[in-house]
Amino acid sequence: MGYRVLVRDTPQGGERRIIGEIDTWIKLDLVLRFNQPGTWQLLVKSGTAQAELLQKGRGIAVYQDGVPEPVFTGGIDAFERYWTNDQHTAEGSVFVSGKSDDDLLYGFLAFPAVSAAGSPLPVEKLYSGTDSRPVAGPVGQVIWSEVDRALGGRALPDRRVDGLSTGPGSMVGPEVKDTLRFDSLGTKTEEWLKDKRVGYRFAWSPVSRQIEFQVYECRDLSKQVRFSTDLGNLKQFTWQLKAPTVTRAIVACQGEGSDRYLLQRIDIEGEAEWGVMREFLVDRRDIPLKTGKDGRPELVVKKGSDGTEDVGMGPDGKDWTEELGKAKAAVTAASQRVADAEKKLEEAKTDDEKKAAQTVLTAAKAAEEAAKKALPGAVERAKPVALSHFLQAAEDAAKKALKDGEKNGHFQIYPIDTEQVRYGRDYRVGDVVTVTADGEEYVDVVREVTISVDDGGRSDVAPKVGEQGTGEPLNLYRQVSEMREKLRKLEARM
């Protein structure tokens, strides 16, 4: 299946028109990604009229034979001159490359303050607005609103992207809630759409001659688009099972020597299944726990010069309990009143003024003493809250160590295009497809597709389904174990 590369011009009058076609290119490489910018690279001969079409500010639209819409559109952001003494020796060649139009989103920040009409305040007036902004609603609506506000119809004039249409909006997807403060819109959108079957795209349209923005729900093509060895469209698959590298996590907290509190958690299932014991020490001296005389964990506290215990602050920077906060505030306020009364006494000139000031000072000292006496009780009642928090921190540290070293199973798949199932014609990134390997079906979203085409018409199309086939495959231990068990039983019958 062939590919055509058209060149679009810089925006003029709100449109990006096609100004020519490049049909003498040497090599074309495309990477299309779901909810992230893709990339493209074109190798062309230098000095030709077609090479001169590729200029700063312009872009490309790649068509696939038999598909009416472009399979890839994007702008130009790099040129690399290329010459060797054994290839294209006369004029040499040039690599022209860029990103897909989805990269537009990554150039903008979510301004924290907006006007009554919903447009962002200009930078020089942001001081007069809020320093953060809440957003909530269906994820499609939230994303569309932020795109329209940052670079679309409601954008500030100097931020608005010419030749862009943001469309009527969308209400697809589950609810999201967040707070924005100069966040990268691209990064934030990735976060909002993580683990959701909702996608977005910026793509140039040959009808409107504009880059059109769209939020959409992933198409479920799991029944129609399938990859398997039987169908001949699965180039390779590998699965791997590994024993745990950590089965016993020992968290060592702040105490010293025999007082140091130790917490152990064990992966009993992993040890029984694989017949291994592997211990790992987690040094967490930042967790203020020690071993008490009864062997139970105690909170490590500091004492002030007056003997008052200091249990520190909670993770939110506030006191552990409301009572403790009020007790500390009462001591601070009482001490301030004593200081004020002492100053009044020093400034008193007549006997009556001194007598009145002394009366106030005596009352202030009595109130201060009462506040200080109440503080230890509030501290004591706050200790269980702090203790519970730090015990959970130790538990979490043990769980993380066991998680990092847990038994794991990886399943990587490498589908290919065939005449029966082709990218662009039958499915696109964001569609849900099915892969079958060793009798186990795996259904997920097509997250990336790599296309390489040379001037001889030879093409290689490699889709990646879910996290499989990527450098960071998911830990699918249960699924891979089931695949191994099915294969073992099958081999036993043969």
Side-chain angles (χ1 to χ4, degrees), residues 167-204:
S170 172
M171 298 294 287
V172 303
E175 296 276 324
V176 294
K177 290 184 178 179
D178 208 341
T179 301
L180 299 176
R181 187 177 186 274
F182 291 113
D183 299 276
S184 162
L185 281 181
T187 303
K188 183 57 69 173
T189 298
E190 284 185 40
E191 180 183 321
W192 287 335
L193 294 177
K194 184 176 176 60
D195 301 325
K196 296 180 180 68
R197 290 189 174 179
V198 175
Y200 77 90
R201 66 168 65 97
F202 289 82
W204 178 83

Side-chain angles (χ1 to χ4, degrees), residues 320-348:
W320 293 105
T321 65
E322 185 178 352
E323 178 195 12
L324 179 57
K326 289 180 177 178
K328 290 167 107 177
V331 171
T332 301
S335 297
Q336 184 60 52
R337 286 193 291 271
V338 168
D340 293 342
E342 288 175 339
K343 184 177 181 181
K344 286 284 187 182
L345 182 59
E346 291 176 3
E347 294 172 347

Side-chain angles (χ1 to χ4, degrees), residues 9 34 41 50 161 226 248 286 314-315 336 339 442:
D9 203 356
F34 179 54
Q41 180 174 269
Q50 290 192 4
V161 174
R226 306 175 69 88
R248 301 188 176 213
D286 59 309
Q336 184 60 52
Y442 178 75

Side-chain angles (χ1 to χ4, degrees), residues 22-35:
I22 297 182
D23 55 14
T24 59
W25 47 268
I26 303 166
K27 193 171 189 300
L28 170 67
D29 293 299
L30 305 173
V31 179
L32 303 95
R33 297 188 176 96
F34 179 54
N35 292 338

Side-chain angles (χ1 to χ4, degrees), residues 50-101:
Q50 290 192 4
E52 290 301 312
L53 288 174
L54 298 166
Q55 298 294 333
K56 300 173 186 175
R58 292 177 178 174
I60 65 167
V62 180
Y63 282 82
Q64 184 181 29
D65 290 350
V67 181
E69 298 291 325
V71 295
F72 186 99
T73 68
I76 297 172
D77 64 16
F79 298 89
E80 181 181 352
R81 184 82 160 85
Y82 178 73
W83 184 90
T84 69
N85 62 5
D86 60 359
Q87 186 180 24
H88 318 307
T89 55
E91 68 283 349
S93 54
V94 60
F95 282 106
V96 185
S97 59
K99 297 182 178 66
S100 69
D101 288 321

Side-chain angles (χ1 to χ4, degrees), residues 360-376:
V360 172
L361 177 59
T362 301
K365 286 185 175 181
E368 181 185 37
E369 187 64 24
K372 288 181 176 179
K373 286 183 178 180
L375 181 58

